[in-house]
Amino acid sequence: MFRKTLAAALPLSLALAAVPRDGAASNYPPSYNVCGPTRTVHTGPFEIIQDPVREDCANLTVAYRGYLRDWYPDHEIAIYVRLNGQDVLLPASAGAHGDAYVFASNAPRDCAWCSPSPYSSATPSVCGGVQLPPGSSGTWVCNGPTPTEEELFFWAYNEYGDMNAWDIEVAAESHGEWDSNFGANYAARFEPRTSCF
């Protein structure tokens, strides 16, 4: 019985070992998250989440659970974020975890597959004007970061595309009232990364 079980398990384990782990042979969209792990820092009433998507881009979420939420609705709160000297004030949304939050990313998003075949996942308005080389099966078309996100992430990566250390300051504002650690802002740091893992 043991030999039969071992003999049946061996081909399965060999097949699993042969599966590529980096997705190099796949056609995942550029927005597909292939990096990890996500890192989280808590500072004052804030939770700051760094989620690398690829080696050269990441998502940043800042969740706020402070006292301004007792006075104002989440959509009337703005969150100040300073990343390596670049600062922006972003309107918050109501989160699913008892927080107001903002999300920023320098990663591609809303990707659609444009191809000459009827199996294209995109509408003609998305693919209009996309030039495919002869014999191409298609290409991904994605939206990029907003100008505000480009400004925020300006110093987040070095000239080689590696993630710098992220020194972050955050504060919350609504109707002229600030939760800012008495003007000093709440601070956090993520150490640099030179690879996805």
Side-chain angles (χ1 to χ4, degrees):
M1 179 69 171
F2 176 73
R3 283 187 179 181
K4 287 183 182 179
T5 304
L6 182 59
L10 186 58
L12 178 61
S13 65
L14 291 174
L16 291 175
V19 174
R21 300 202 184 274
D22 62 1
S26 67
N27 191 20
Y28 289 116
S31 58
Y32 188 79
N33 193 329
V34 296
C35 254
T38 298
R39 297 189 286 189
T40 303
V41 173
H42 293 86
T43 177
F46 291 92
E47 178 180 12
I48 304 170
I49 304 165
Q50 180 195 66
D51 180 18
V53 176
R54 295 190 322 246
E55 289 182 1
D56 62 345
C57 56
N59 299 327
L60 177 67
T61 304
V62 179
Y64 172 68
R65 296 180 181 94
Y67 64 84
L68 291 179
R69 295 187 67 246
D70 296 334
W71 302 346
Y72 305 104
D74 292 337
H75 69 276
E76 293 181 13
I77 294 174
I79 297 179
Y80 168 84
V81 182
R82 183 178 177 97
L83 171 57
N84 291 353
Q86 297 294 110
D87 55 354
V88 296
L89 188 64
L90 302 169
S93 298
H97 303 286
D99 55 28
Y101 79 98
V102 295
F103 174 84
S105 178
N106 67 334
R109 66 191 74 151
D110 306 322
C111 296
W113 179 252
C114 294
S115 72
S117 76
Y119 302 109
S120 177
S121 68
T123 62
S125 63
V126 172
C127 294
V130 174
Q131 297 296 318
L132 299 176
S136 170
S137 64
T139 187
W140 288 104
V141 175
C142 304
N143 291 325
T146 65
T148 301
E149 291 169 321
E150 286 179 357
E151 180 180 341
L152 179 64
F153 287 93
F154 188 79
W155 296 110
Y157 294 84
N158 65 25
E159 65 271 20
Y160 305 108
D162 294 327
M163 186 180 288
N164 290 326
W166 287 14
D167 290 309
I168 297 177
E169 295 179 27
V170 291
E173 183 277 335
S174 187
H175 299 271
E177 300 284 337
W178 283 87
D179 186 352
S180 63
N181 195 20
F182 303 102
N185 297 330
Y186 296 93
R189 180 178 174 92
F190 292 105
E191 293 303 323
R193 292 183 190 222
T194 56
S195 69
C196 277
F197 300 96

